[in-house]
């Protein structure tokens, strides 16, 4: 339930719509699928985007969307250690989004309010959490475009960066303290021909950890840069190659880098 709400057998999307209502599981209202970069790997700019699939009830009226979505709290133990997934939430996450569409593209503003909860034998703790996002896609000429994602808040946790940071940390008093984070991504897509295109993608997340509670073994920042070349011989087939460079730094100052060559072949149906 942290990121993709997977099941056995595998289930990604299952929902029904009636008039303005949606019931079931699909992309979170806090996410903007239309602003995701096109990449050679499964998910580009994972550090800098909102990516969440879960069950919900959503109401849509024109450019407005209001939703109650599946809650889940991820927690860093006091002093650091393995992630705690509490599964103790008593109220759904509330999300509101406004999307403006025009000939030049679209821009969306979303806000999220939720309560982080952790029930223990000795006491039950909760902490308020919020997140704000600004996303969009701007057309550049007839075919090219710029896509951007920006999200910031306290306790966003699993909603951004594939849960790079947890929603909260346990303090030395046993209470919950929301972890602040800011994530951003930008991508430029350029068509060389009708069938060939390149995407230039930058992504980063910065996390404001209170190391007195989290310890120094948690992620302070993560970033990546990617360039790819994609070719569609026919409309439903895409072949491509991409290069990705990534870097991650911990609060202790320890850091590491990776370079990855990616090949892709996709058939859309």
């Amino acid at each position: 339930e942290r990121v993709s709400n997977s099941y056995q057998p595998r289930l990604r999307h299952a929902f029904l719509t009636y008039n303005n209502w949606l019931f079931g599981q699909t992309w979170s209202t806090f996410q903007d699928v239309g602003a995701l970069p096109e990449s050679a790997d499964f998910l580009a700019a994972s550090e800098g985007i909102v990516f969440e699939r879960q069950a919900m009830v959503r109401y849509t009226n024109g450019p407005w969307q209001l939703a109650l979505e599946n809650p889940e709290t991820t927690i860093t133990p006091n002093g650091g250690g393995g992630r705690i997934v509490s599964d103790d939430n008593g109220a759904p996450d509330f999300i509101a989004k406004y999307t403006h569409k025009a000939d030049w593209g679209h821009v969306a503003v979303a806000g999220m309010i939720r309560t982080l909860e952790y029930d223990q034998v000795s006491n039950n703790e909760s902490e308020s959490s919020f997140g704000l996002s600004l996303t969009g896609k701007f057309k550049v000429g007839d075919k090219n475009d710029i896509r951007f994602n920006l999200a910031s808040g306290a306790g966003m946790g699993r909603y951004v960066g594939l849960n790079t940071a947890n929603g909260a940390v346990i303090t030395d008093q046993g209470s919950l303290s929301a972890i602040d984070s800011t994530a951003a991504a930008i991508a430029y897509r350029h068509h060389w021909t009708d069938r060939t295109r390149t995407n230039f993608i930058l992504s980063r997340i910065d996390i404001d950890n209170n190391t007195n509670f989290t310890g120094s073994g948690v992620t302070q920042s993560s970033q990546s840069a990617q360039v790819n070349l994609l070719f569609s011989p026919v409309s439903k087939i895409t072949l491509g190659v991409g290069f990705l460079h990534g870097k991650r730094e911990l609060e202790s100052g320890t850091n590491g880098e990776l370079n990855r060559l990616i090949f892709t072949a996709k058939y859309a149906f």
Side-chain angles (χ1 to χ4, degrees), residues 41-90:
D41 58 349
F42 171 71
L43 180 64
S46 58
E47 311 93 338
I49 63 172
V50 174
F51 186 87
E52 183 67 50
R53 183 172 60 239
Q54 59 192 7
M56 70 187 70
V57 177
R58 178 194 293 165
Y59 175 76
T60 301
N61 188 347
W64 287 98
Q65 290 185 314
L66 304 175
L68 297 176
E69 303 195 4
N70 181 70
E72 185 69 281
T73 299
T74 57
I75 301 167
T76 300
N78 184 258
R83 173 185 290 120
I84 299 171
V85 182
S86 71
D87 204 23
D88 294 328
N89 295 74

Short mmCIF file of all heavy atoms in Angstrom, two decimals, residues 41-90:
data_model
loop_
_atom_site.label_atom_id
_atom_site.label_comp_id
_atom_site.label_asym_id
_atom_site.label_seq_id
_atom_site.Cartn_x
_atom_site.Cartn_y
_atom_site.Cartn_z
N ASP A 41 13.46 4.00 -19.60
CA ASP A 41 13.22 3.07 -18.51
C ASP A 41 11.77 3.14 -18.08
O ASP A 41 10.98 3.93 -18.60
CB ASP A 41 14.16 3.34 -17.32
CG ASP A 41 14.02 4.75 -16.79
OD1 ASP A 41 13.38 5.56 -17.46
OD2 ASP A 41 14.56 5.03 -15.71
N PHE A 42 11.39 2.33 -17.09
CA PHE A 42 9.98 2.25 -16.69
C PHE A 42 9.47 3.57 -16.15
O PHE A 42 8.37 4.01 -16.45
CB PHE A 42 9.80 1.15 -15.63
CG PHE A 42 8.44 1.15 -15.00
CD1 PHE A 42 7.33 0.74 -15.73
CD2 PHE A 42 8.26 1.57 -13.69
CE1 PHE A 42 6.07 0.75 -15.16
CE2 PHE A 42 7.00 1.58 -13.12
CZ PHE A 42 5.90 1.17 -13.85
N LEU A 43 10.29 4.23 -15.30
CA LEU A 43 9.84 5.47 -14.68
C LEU A 43 11.00 6.44 -14.58
O LEU A 43 11.90 6.25 -13.76
CB LEU A 43 9.27 5.18 -13.27
CG LEU A 43 8.78 6.40 -12.50
CD1 LEU A 43 7.59 7.03 -13.21
CD2 LEU A 43 8.40 6.01 -11.08
N ALA A 44 10.97 7.46 -15.41
CA ALA A 44 12.02 8.47 -15.36
C ALA A 44 11.75 9.46 -14.24
O ALA A 44 10.63 9.64 -13.80
CB ALA A 44 12.09 9.23 -16.68
N ALA A 45 12.81 10.10 -13.75
CA ALA A 45 12.70 11.17 -12.77
C ALA A 45 11.99 10.73 -11.51
O ALA A 45 11.23 11.49 -10.91
CB ALA A 45 11.99 12.38 -13.38
N SER A 46 12.21 9.48 -11.10
CA SER A 46 11.46 8.93 -9.97
C SER A 46 11.69 9.73 -8.68
O SER A 46 10.79 9.80 -7.83
CB SER A 46 11.84 7.47 -9.74
OG SER A 46 13.23 7.33 -9.53
N GLU A 47 12.87 10.36 -8.52
CA GLU A 47 13.12 11.15 -7.31
C GLU A 47 12.23 12.38 -7.24
O GLU A 47 11.84 12.81 -6.15
CB GLU A 47 14.59 11.62 -7.25
CG GLU A 47 15.62 10.57 -7.50
CD GLU A 47 16.04 10.53 -8.96
OE1 GLU A 47 15.27 10.99 -9.83
OE2 GLU A 47 17.15 10.04 -9.22
N GLY A 48 11.91 12.97 -8.39
CA GLY A 48 11.31 14.29 -8.39
C GLY A 48 9.83 14.35 -8.70
O GLY A 48 9.30 15.44 -8.93
N ILE A 49 9.15 13.20 -8.72
CA ILE A 49 7.74 13.22 -9.10
C ILE A 49 6.87 12.56 -8.03
O ILE A 49 7.34 11.80 -7.19
CB ILE A 49 7.51 12.49 -10.44
CG1 ILE A 49 7.89 11.01 -10.32
CG2 ILE A 49 8.25 13.17 -11.57
CD1 ILE A 49 7.51 10.18 -11.52
N VAL A 50 5.58 12.89 -8.09
CA VAL A 50 4.57 12.17 -7.31
C VAL A 50 4.20 10.94 -8.11
O VAL A 50 3.86 11.03 -9.30
CB VAL A 50 3.33 13.05 -7.07
CG1 VAL A 50 2.23 12.25 -6.39
CG2 VAL A 50 3.70 14.27 -6.24
N PHE A 51 4.27 9.77 -7.47
CA PHE A 51 3.93 8.51 -8.14
C PHE A 51 3.21 7.63 -7.14
O PHE A 51 3.81 7.14 -6.18
CB PHE A 51 5.18 7.82 -8.68
CG PHE A 51 4.88 6.60 -9.52
CD1 PHE A 51 4.64 6.72 -10.88
CD2 PHE A 51 4.82 5.34 -8.94
CE1 PHE A 51 4.37 5.60 -11.65
CE2 PHE A 51 4.55 4.22 -9.71
CZ PHE A 51 4.32 4.34 -11.07
N GLU A 52 1.92 7.44 -7.34
CA GLU A 52 1.12 6.68 -6.38
C GLU A 52 -0.11 6.10 -7.06
O GLU A 52 -0.80 6.80 -7.82
CB GLU A 52 0.68 7.58 -5.22
CG GLU A 52 -0.08 6.88 -4.14
CD GLU A 52 0.78 5.87 -3.39
OE1 GLU A 52 1.88 6.24 -2.96
OE2 GLU A 52 0.33 4.72 -3.25
N ARG A 53 -0.37 4.84 -6.82
CA ARG A 53 -1.56 4.17 -7.36
C ARG A 53 -2.28 3.52 -6.18
O ARG A 53 -1.69 2.72 -5.45
CB ARG A 53 -1.13 3.12 -8.39
CG ARG A 53 -2.28 2.40 -9.07
CD ARG A 53 -1.80 1.52 -10.20
NE ARG A 53 -0.89 0.49 -9.78
CZ ARG A 53 0.36 0.34 -10.24
NH1 ARG A 53 0.84 1.20 -11.11
NH2 ARG A 53 1.12 -0.65 -9.81
N GLN A 54 -3.58 3.85 -6.01
CA GLN A 54 -4.27 3.33 -4.84
C GLN A 54 -5.79 3.46 -4.99
O GLN A 54 -6.29 4.08 -5.93
CB GLN A 54 -3.83 4.08 -3.58
CG GLN A 54 -4.05 5.57 -3.61
CD GLN A 54 -3.33 6.28 -2.48
OE1 GLN A 54 -2.56 5.68 -1.74
NE2 GLN A 54 -3.57 7.57 -2.34
N ALA A 55 -6.51 2.87 -4.05
CA ALA A 55 -7.97 2.91 -4.06
C ALA A 55 -8.46 4.27 -3.62
O ALA A 55 -7.83 4.95 -2.80
CB ALA A 55 -8.51 1.82 -3.13
N MET A 56 -9.63 4.67 -4.14
CA MET A 56 -10.13 6.01 -3.85
C MET A 56 -11.60 6.15 -4.22
O MET A 56 -12.17 5.31 -4.94
CB MET A 56 -9.33 7.05 -4.63
CG MET A 56 -9.59 7.02 -6.13
SD MET A 56 -8.50 8.10 -7.08
CE MET A 56 -6.93 7.25 -6.88
N VAL A 57 -12.19 7.23 -3.75
CA VAL A 57 -13.45 7.76 -4.26
C VAL A 57 -13.15 9.17 -4.73
O VAL A 57 -12.69 10.01 -3.95
CB VAL A 57 -14.54 7.77 -3.16
CG1 VAL A 57 -15.81 8.40 -3.72
CG2 VAL A 57 -14.81 6.37 -2.65
N ARG A 58 -13.43 9.46 -5.99
CA ARG A 58 -13.08 10.76 -6.57
C ARG A 58 -14.29 11.40 -7.23
O ARG A 58 -15.05 10.73 -7.95
CB ARG A 58 -11.96 10.60 -7.60
CG ARG A 58 -11.56 11.91 -8.30
CD ARG A 58 -10.71 11.64 -9.52
NE ARG A 58 -9.43 11.08 -9.16
CZ ARG A 58 -8.61 10.47 -10.04
NH1 ARG A 58 -8.98 10.34 -11.31
NH2 ARG A 58 -7.45 9.99 -9.65
N TYR A 59 -14.44 12.70 -7.00
CA TYR A 59 -15.50 13.48 -7.64
C TYR A 59 -14.85 14.52 -8.56
O TYR A 59 -13.95 15.26 -8.14
CB TYR A 59 -16.36 14.18 -6.59
CG TYR A 59 -17.40 15.11 -7.18
CD1 TYR A 59 -18.57 14.60 -7.76
CD2 TYR A 59 -17.22 16.49 -7.16
CE1 TYR A 59 -19.52 15.44 -8.31
CE2 TYR A 59 -18.16 17.34 -7.71
CZ TYR A 59 -19.32 16.81 -8.29
OH TYR A 59 -20.24 17.65 -8.84
N THR A 60 -15.30 14.58 -9.80
CA THR A 60 -14.76 15.52 -10.78
C THR A 60 -15.86 16.44 -11.28
O THR A 60 -16.96 15.97 -11.66
CB THR A 60 -14.15 14.77 -11.98
OG1 THR A 60 -13.11 13.89 -11.52
CG2 THR A 60 -13.57 15.74 -12.99
N ASN A 61 -15.56 17.72 -11.27
CA ASN A 61 -16.51 18.71 -11.79
C ASN A 61 -15.71 19.75 -12.57
O ASN A 61 -15.07 20.62 -11.99
CB ASN A 61 -17.28 19.37 -10.64
CG ASN A 61 -18.40 20.26 -11.16
OD1 ASN A 61 -18.47 20.58 -12.34
ND2 ASN A 61 -19.30 20.65 -10.27
N GLY A 62 -15.71 19.62 -13.89
CA GLY A 62 -14.92 20.52 -14.73
C GLY A 62 -13.44 20.37 -14.41
O GLY A 62 -12.90 19.26 -14.43
N PRO A 63 -12.77 21.47 -14.09
CA PRO A 63 -11.33 21.39 -13.81
C PRO A 63 -11.01 20.93 -12.39
O PRO A 63 -9.85 20.71 -12.06
CB PRO A 63 -10.87 22.84 -14.01
CG PRO A 63 -12.07 23.66 -13.64
CD PRO A 63 -13.25 22.86 -14.11
N TRP A 64 -12.04 20.76 -11.55
CA TRP A 64 -11.82 20.40 -10.15
C TRP A 64 -11.95 18.91 -9.92
O TRP A 64 -12.80 18.24 -10.51
CB TRP A 64 -12.83 21.13 -9.25
CG TRP A 64 -12.57 22.58 -9.11
CD1 TRP A 64 -13.18 23.60 -9.78
CD2 TRP A 64 -11.64 23.19 -8.21
NE1 TRP A 64 -12.68 24.81 -9.39
CE2 TRP A 64 -11.74 24.60 -8.42
CE3 TRP A 64 -10.75 22.71 -7.26
CZ2 TRP A 64 -10.96 25.50 -7.70
CZ3 TRP A 64 -9.98 23.60 -6.54
CH2 TRP A 64 -10.08 24.98 -6.76
N GLN A 65 -11.10 18.39 -9.04
CA GLN A 65 -11.19 17.00 -8.58
C GLN A 65 -11.02 16.98 -7.07
O GLN A 65 -10.08 17.59 -6.53
CB GLN A 65 -10.12 16.12 -9.23
CG GLN A 65 -10.35 15.88 -10.72
CD GLN A 65 -9.34 14.91 -11.30
OE1 GLN A 65 -8.15 15.02 -11.05
NE2 GLN A 65 -9.82 13.96 -12.08
N LEU A 66 -11.90 16.26 -6.38
CA LEU A 66 -11.81 16.06 -4.94
C LEU A 66 -11.83 14.56 -4.68
O LEU A 66 -12.63 13.83 -5.28
CB LEU A 66 -13.00 16.73 -4.23
CG LEU A 66 -13.21 18.22 -4.48
CD1 LEU A 66 -14.50 18.68 -3.80
CD2 LEU A 66 -12.02 19.03 -3.97
N ALA A 67 -10.94 14.10 -3.80
CA ALA A 67 -10.83 12.66 -3.60
C ALA A 67 -10.52 12.30 -2.16
O ALA A 67 -9.83 13.04 -1.45
CB ALA A 67 -9.73 12.09 -4.51
N LEU A 68 -11.05 11.16 -1.74
CA LEU A 68 -10.65 10.49 -0.50
C LEU A 68 -9.92 9.23 -0.92
O LEU A 68 -10.48 8.39 -1.64
CB LEU A 68 -11.88 10.15 0.35
CG LEU A 68 -12.70 11.34 0.85
CD1 LEU A 68 -13.94 10.85 1.60
CD2 LEU A 68 -11.86 12.24 1.76
N GLU A 69 -8.66 9.09 -0.50
CA GLU A 69 -7.81 8.01 -0.99
C GLU A 69 -7.25 7.16 0.14
O GLU A 69 -7.20 7.59 1.30
CB GLU A 69 -6.69 8.58 -1.85
CG GLU A 69 -7.19 9.42 -3.01
CD GLU A 69 -6.14 9.70 -4.06
OE1 GLU A 69 -5.00 9.18 -3.93
OE2 GLU A 69 -6.43 10.45 -5.01
N ASN A 70 -6.83 5.95 -0.23
CA ASN A 70 -6.33 4.98 0.74
C ASN A 70 -5.18 5.55 1.57
O ASN A 70 -4.20 6.05 1.01
CB ASN A 70 -5.84 3.73 0.00
CG ASN A 70 -5.32 2.68 0.94
OD1 ASN A 70 -6.08 2.07 1.67
ND2 ASN A 70 -4.01 2.47 0.92
N PRO A 71 -5.25 5.52 2.91
CA PRO A 71 -4.18 6.05 3.74
C PRO A 71 -3.16 4.97 4.11
O PRO A 71 -3.49 3.79 4.17
CB PRO A 71 -4.94 6.51 5.00
CG PRO A 71 -6.04 5.52 5.12
CD PRO A 71 -6.43 5.11 3.72
N GLU A 72 -1.95 5.38 4.32
CA GLU A 72 -0.88 4.49 4.80
C GLU A 72 0.25 5.35 5.33
O GLU A 72 0.64 6.32 4.68
CB GLU A 72 -0.38 3.58 3.68
CG GLU A 72 0.64 2.54 4.11
CD GLU A 72 0.03 1.46 5.00
OE1 GLU A 72 -0.15 1.75 6.21
OE2 GLU A 72 -0.29 0.38 4.51
N THR A 73 0.76 5.00 6.50
CA THR A 73 1.82 5.78 7.14
C THR A 73 3.12 4.99 7.14
O THR A 73 3.15 3.83 7.56
CB THR A 73 1.45 6.13 8.59
OG1 THR A 73 0.25 6.92 8.58
CG2 THR A 73 2.55 6.93 9.26
N THR A 74 4.20 5.61 6.66
CA THR A 74 5.53 5.01 6.73
C THR A 74 6.38 5.82 7.70
O THR A 74 6.37 7.05 7.66
CB THR A 74 6.20 4.96 5.35
OG1 THR A 74 6.27 6.28 4.80
CG2 THR A 74 5.39 4.08 4.40
N ILE A 75 7.11 5.12 8.56
CA ILE A 75 7.76 5.76 9.71
C ILE A 75 9.21 5.31 9.82
O ILE A 75 9.54 4.14 9.60
CB ILE A 75 7.02 5.38 11.01
CG1 ILE A 75 5.54 5.84 10.92
CG2 ILE A 75 7.67 6.00 12.23
CD1 ILE A 75 4.67 5.23 11.99
N THR A 76 10.08 6.26 10.17
CA THR A 76 11.48 5.96 10.50
C THR A 76 11.58 5.78 12.02
O THR A 76 11.16 6.66 12.76
CB THR A 76 12.41 7.10 10.06
OG1 THR A 76 12.28 7.29 8.64
CG2 THR A 76 13.86 6.78 10.41
N PRO A 77 12.13 4.66 12.49
CA PRO A 77 12.28 4.47 13.93
C PRO A 77 13.22 5.51 14.53
O PRO A 77 14.07 6.07 13.83
CB PRO A 77 12.89 3.06 14.05
CG PRO A 77 12.62 2.41 12.73
CD PRO A 77 12.61 3.51 11.72
N ASN A 78 13.10 5.77 15.80
CA ASN A 78 13.99 6.70 16.46
C ASN A 78 15.42 6.17 16.40
O ASN A 78 15.68 5.03 16.76
CB ASN A 78 13.58 6.88 17.93
CG ASN A 78 14.43 7.91 18.64
OD1 ASN A 78 15.33 7.58 19.40
ND2 ASN A 78 14.14 9.17 18.39
N GLY A 79 16.33 7.00 15.90
CA GLY A 79 17.72 6.59 15.74
C GLY A 79 18.01 5.91 14.42
O GLY A 79 19.16 5.58 14.14
N GLY A 80 16.98 5.70 13.59
CA GLY A 80 17.17 5.05 12.30
C GLY A 80 16.86 3.57 12.36
O GLY A 80 16.58 3.01 13.42
N GLY A 81 16.88 2.94 11.21
CA GLY A 81 16.58 1.51 11.14
C GLY A 81 15.57 1.22 10.06
O GLY A 81 15.23 2.09 9.24
N GLY A 82 15.07 -0.01 10.05
CA GLY A 82 14.13 -0.43 9.02
C GLY A 82 12.82 0.32 9.07
O GLY A 82 12.33 0.69 10.14
N ARG A 83 12.24 0.56 7.90
CA ARG A 83 10.99 1.31 7.79
C ARG A 83 9.85 0.59 8.51
O ARG A 83 9.69 -0.63 8.41
CB ARG A 83 10.63 1.48 6.32
CG ARG A 83 9.26 2.09 6.06
CD ARG A 83 8.92 2.14 4.59
NE ARG A 83 9.73 3.12 3.88
CZ ARG A 83 10.54 2.83 2.88
NH1 ARG A 83 10.68 1.57 2.50
NH2 ARG A 83 11.24 3.77 2.29
N ILE A 84 9.02 1.36 9.23
CA ILE A 84 7.80 0.85 9.84
C ILE A 84 6.63 1.25 8.96
O ILE A 84 6.45 2.42 8.64
CB ILE A 84 7.60 1.42 11.26
CG1 ILE A 84 8.76 1.02 12.17
CG2 ILE A 84 6.28 0.95 11.85
CD1 ILE A 84 8.74 1.73 13.51
N VAL A 85 5.82 0.28 8.55
CA VAL A 85 4.59 0.54 7.82
C VAL A 85 3.45 0.25 8.79
O VAL A 85 3.15 -0.90 9.07
CB VAL A 85 4.49 -0.33 6.55
CG1 VAL A 85 3.21 0.02 5.78
CG2 VAL A 85 5.71 -0.13 5.67
N SER A 86 2.82 1.31 9.30
CA SER A 86 1.94 1.14 10.45
C SER A 86 0.60 0.50 10.13
O SER A 86 0.09 -0.29 10.91
CB SER A 86 1.70 2.50 11.12
OG SER A 86 0.87 3.32 10.31
N ASP A 87 0.00 0.87 8.98
CA ASP A 87 -1.32 0.35 8.62
C ASP A 87 -2.36 0.66 9.70
O ASP A 87 -3.28 -0.14 9.93
CB ASP A 87 -1.26 -1.15 8.35
CG ASP A 87 -2.38 -1.61 7.42
OD1 ASP A 87 -2.90 -0.76 6.67
OD2 ASP A 87 -2.74 -2.80 7.45
N ASP A 88 -2.19 1.80 10.40
CA ASP A 88 -3.07 2.15 11.52
C ASP A 88 -4.00 3.32 11.23
O ASP A 88 -4.72 3.76 12.13
CB ASP A 88 -2.23 2.49 12.76
CG ASP A 88 -1.46 1.29 13.29
OD1 ASP A 88 -1.99 0.17 13.17
OD2 ASP A 88 -0.35 1.48 13.81
N ASN A 89 -3.98 3.85 10.01
CA ASN A 89 -4.75 5.07 9.73
C ASN A 89 -6.25 4.84 9.86
O ASN A 89 -6.79 3.85 9.36
CB ASN A 89 -4.43 5.57 8.33
CG ASN A 89 -3.00 6.02 8.20
OD1 ASN A 89 -2.08 5.21 8.14
ND2 ASN A 89 -2.80 7.33 8.15
N GLY A 90 -6.91 5.79 10.52
CA GLY A 90 -8.35 5.68 10.70
C GLY A 90 -9.15 6.56 9.77
O GLY A 90 -10.38 6.45 9.72
#
